[in-house]
Amino acid sequence: NQALNEKLLSEVYMTENEFLLQDRIAKIKSINEKYDLEHNGYVSYSGGKDSTVLSALIDLALPGNKIPRVYINTGIEYKLMVEYVHNKMKEDDRIIEIRPKVNIREMLETKGYPFKSKEFSQKLFTYQNSGKCKTVTDYLGETGNKPKTFQCPDKLKVCFAPEFTLKVSDKCCTMLKKKPIEEYEAVNRRLIRMTGIRSAEGGIRKSHQECTVFSDDLLTKFHPLKPLKSDFIDWFIEKYKIRLCDLYYPPYSFERTGCVGCPFNSKLKYDLSKIKGVFPSEEKRAEIIWGKVYDEYRRLGYRLDE
């Protein structure tokens, strides 16, 4: 009976995923008919799991499409990921590589380092440049009715003081990713960005439920994977026999990729330990780039505490 129940549940589960697949294909086709993704859109392609699924899903919905897949090589990507994307470029001429025009370490020194999260970095940047204005005091819980969950952690409130001298901002992603992609959009007149963002990833992405974003009635962003959960992504990869970057398989078995050692990573301690074991040179590179943030994390007993 248990085996039969599991079989029936499996069939229902598969049917649900098939339904979701058809729903997403229909959504992509609908958006394409209205906004001509073939000539106005591009895929923000990182080589990671979600963007790889997104690319394959678009191919299912729009067979033979020539929509560019734009890969931003920030200079702090995993070497295996860069190799994976470069190999894919040999097979698929739609994949285009672009790079930021800034020196990472100089940019961090002049613009500020990422710290804790984008919101925290924005608020600390505001404090360091404008003092304790209301947006800062609300975040610190000194004014306003901001829920405790969305306030600054007590352990990090000491950063909002003159004694904390590390320059902080959320400009890292802007300089390494946003500016290069905006330049690409302007030069190539492709203003509809398609991403693999999913609400299930949590954080700020969870608060935005719509898969389309408009500016002055113009479609600017399209997130086809928005309502999908991780089990669908895994099912899709298995169903269509998609080979991901080696980082996702043993002996590495990474859950997420991206910038090596990013200080925004809530599992930074675990990931750095893992990187040190399998890619010691990349762990050293992360310590060099983000070392000033790591030192503060360790001093404050936060995220890299013992």
Side-chain angles (χ1 to χ4, degrees):
N1 286 340
Q2 182 179 353
L4 178 60
N5 287 336
E6 289 178 355
K7 182 176 184 297
L8 290 172
L9 284 173
S10 177
E11 289 175 353
V12 171
Y13 177 66
M14 292 292 284
T15 302
E16 180 183 355
N17 280 332
E18 290 286 357
F19 172 80
L20 287 171
L21 175 59
Q22 294 307 314
D23 174 73
R24 292 296 86 194
I25 288 175
K27 184 67 175 180
I28 294 170
K29 286 182 175 179
S30 173
I31 293 296
N32 183 58
E33 289 172 2
K34 291 180 181 179
Y35 302 102
D36 190 8
L37 299 175
E38 182 75 53
H39 297 95
N40 298 317
Y42 70 94
V43 176
S44 180
Y45 180 76
S46 67
K49 181 184 288 188
D50 288 346
S51 70
T52 299
V53 168
L54 172 62
S55 181
L57 184 59
I58 290 173
D59 283 343
L60 283 177
L62 308 173
N65 73 84
K66 298 297 183 182
I67 299 172
R69 276 65 170 164
V70 183
Y71 170 64
I72 306 173
N73 187 345
T74 62
I76 45 178
E77 311 293 310
Y78 286 95
K79 292 179 181 178
L80 277 181
M81 180 58 74
V82 175
E83 291 174 6
Y84 172 79
V85 174
H86 284 175
N87 286 331
K88 295 292 288 184
M89 290 173 68
K90 296 174 183 177
E91 305 168 4
D92 189 343
D93 61 7
R94 297 173 302 178
I95 300 176
I96 300 166
E97 181 180 35
I98 62 175
R99 294 172 177 264
K101 299 176 181 177
V102 296
N103 178 284
I104 297 170
R105 295 184 68 185
E106 289 180 6
M107 179 273 295
L108 292 171
E109 285 294 317
T110 56
K111 299 292 184 182
Y113 286 81
F115 202 99
K116 200 270 183 186
S117 66
K118 287 188 177 181
E119 183 181 22
F120 181 93
S121 299
Q122 289 171 353
K123 297 299 189 294
L124 187 49
F125 174 82
T126 300
Y127 167 76
Q128 291 180 338
N129 290 273
S130 305
K132 276 196 173 183
C133 55
K134 191 173 186 305
T135 184
V136 173
T137 56
D138 284 352
Y139 184 61
L140 293 174
E142 298 173 0
T143 56
N145 298 311
K146 197 176 184 72
K148 184 72 174 177
T149 309
F150 299 101
Q151 292 178 16
C152 175
D154 291 338
K155 185 177 285 189
L156 298 182
K157 288 182 179 180
V158 294
C159 299
F160 292 81
E163 294 76 21
F164 185 84
T165 58
L166 179 66
K167 194 172 185 178
V168 170
S169 81
D170 65 328
K171 306 298 182 185
C172 182
C173 289
T174 298
M175 300 303 295
L176 296 183
K177 297 179 180 179
K178 187 176 180 180
K179 278 189 173 294
I181 206 66
E182 286 178 346
E183 290 176 4
Y184 170 84
E185 290 175 347
V187 171
N188 294 276
R189 301 299 300 166
R190 288 185 175 269
L191 304 181
I192 302 175
R193 185 184 313 172
M194 290 179 277
T195 79
I197 288 176
R198 295 186 293 114
S199 296
E201 292 179 292
I204 195 170
R205 298 177 175 186
K206 189 176 182 179
S207 63
H208 303 299
Q209 298 299 325
E210 296 297 326
C211 63
T212 51
V213 178
F214 293 86
S215 177
D216 297 328
D217 296 325
L218 297 175
L219 180 65
T220 57
K221 295 178 183 177
F222 178 34
H223 312 304
L225 306 188
K226 197 72 171 179
L228 302 176
K229 296 182 179 180
S230 296
D231 55 3
F232 174 89
I233 300 299
D234 293 336
W235 170 83
F236 185 92
I237 290 169
E238 176 64 26
K239 179 178 177 64
Y240 290 99
K241 309 301 179 188
I242 296 173
R243 178 68 188 183
L244 301 172
C245 174
D246 287 347
L247 288 169
Y248 291 101
Y249 304 104
Y252 314 116
S253 302
F254 278 67
E255 292 182 8
R256 298 178 66 90
T257 55
C259 299
V260 179
C262 176
F264 285 160
N265 183 358
S266 61
K267 297 181 179 179
L268 181 61
K269 180 180 179 180
Y270 171 80
D271 281 357
L272 278 181
S273 176
K274 189 171 186 176
I275 296 168
K276 188 173 183 178
V278 293
F279 307 122
S281 63
E282 298 202 39
E283 190 270 342
K284 290 179 181 178
R285 181 169 59 126
E287 285 282 355
I288 292 171
I289 294 172
W290 312 115
K292 290 188 177 182
V293 181
Y294 294 172
D295 288 344
E296 291 299 327
Y297 281 177
R298 294 179 178 116
R299 183 178 70 85
L300 296 169
Y302 177 79
R303 199 163 278 179
L304 290 179
D305 62 303
E306 296 301 321

